[in-house]
Amino acid sequence: FLSWDIVIKSADPFSISAWFNTNTVSSTSWVISAGSNGGTNWDIKIGATSGKITFRMRYLVGSPHYSDLLSSTISTNTWYNVTGVFTGSQQLLYLNGVQESTANITFRRELTTHIAGAIGTFYYNGVPYSGDYDGEIGPLSFYQSKSLSPKEVLQNYNALKGRFG
């Protein structure tokens, strides 16, 4: 597992993209996550809801305190590309270059400090928390202060699908 510090304000756009091939879809496992004290986090996980990918953002104020976007059902032993995009007002989830779901985000708690990120587990308050990933993880891309357009998401997927698809 790899961890790092991410400096991002909650209103800033960002995009995260990952190639993965999972061995299980029946239990929750994290491909990539970032979290800090107070529940401020985002993650991409598998299996939390009937074998689907979830892109969660949890630094919202009010209720609920998070927003989950779900993909269509995925299978084991298959390479996928997942991309989560936050525009500053919308949260979008793409699977293999195709938009799967979207949500409008209007209220966020400001985050101006470092948050800890992790690959292959859920990282919270500086330590791995739970849900270790079981499978292969290919290239990851994190775009700080940039929300990828649908055209850019598809272009990135097409650029690597021959290696993993």
Side-chain angles (χ1 to χ4, degrees), residues 24-27 46-53 71-75 80:
T24 182
V25 295
S26 60
S27 62
I46 301 168
T49 308
S50 305
K52 298 179 180 189
I53 299 166
S71 74
S72 52
T73 303
I74 62 168
S75 302
Y80 293 96

Side-chain angles (χ1 to χ4, degrees), residues 35-113:
S36 67
N37 194 8
T40 303
N41 62 56
W42 55 262
D43 56 55
I44 294 177
K45 58 188 170 186
I46 301 168
T49 308
S50 305
K52 298 179 180 189
I53 299 166
T54 304
F55 174 40
R56 171 175 276 195
M57 292 180 59
R58 187 187 165 138
Y59 48 73
L60 308 177
V61 294
S63 182
H65 301 289
Y66 58 87
S67 174
D68 285 350
L69 297 184
L70 299 175
S71 74
S72 52
T73 303
I74 62 168
S75 302
T76 58
N77 304 310
T78 302
W79 279 100
Y80 293 96
N81 174 251
V82 60
T83 303
V85 174
F86 178 59
T87 67
S89 62
Q90 280 192 318
Q91 173 188 1
L92 302 105
L93 174 67
Y94 295 84
L95 184 62
N96 294 339
V98 177
Q99 185 177 331
E100 294 265 318
S101 52
T102 185
N104 292 325
I105 305 296
T106 56
F107 300 103
R108 295 168 307 280
R109 185 179 323 151
E110 280 299 317
L111 172 65
T112 57
T113 60

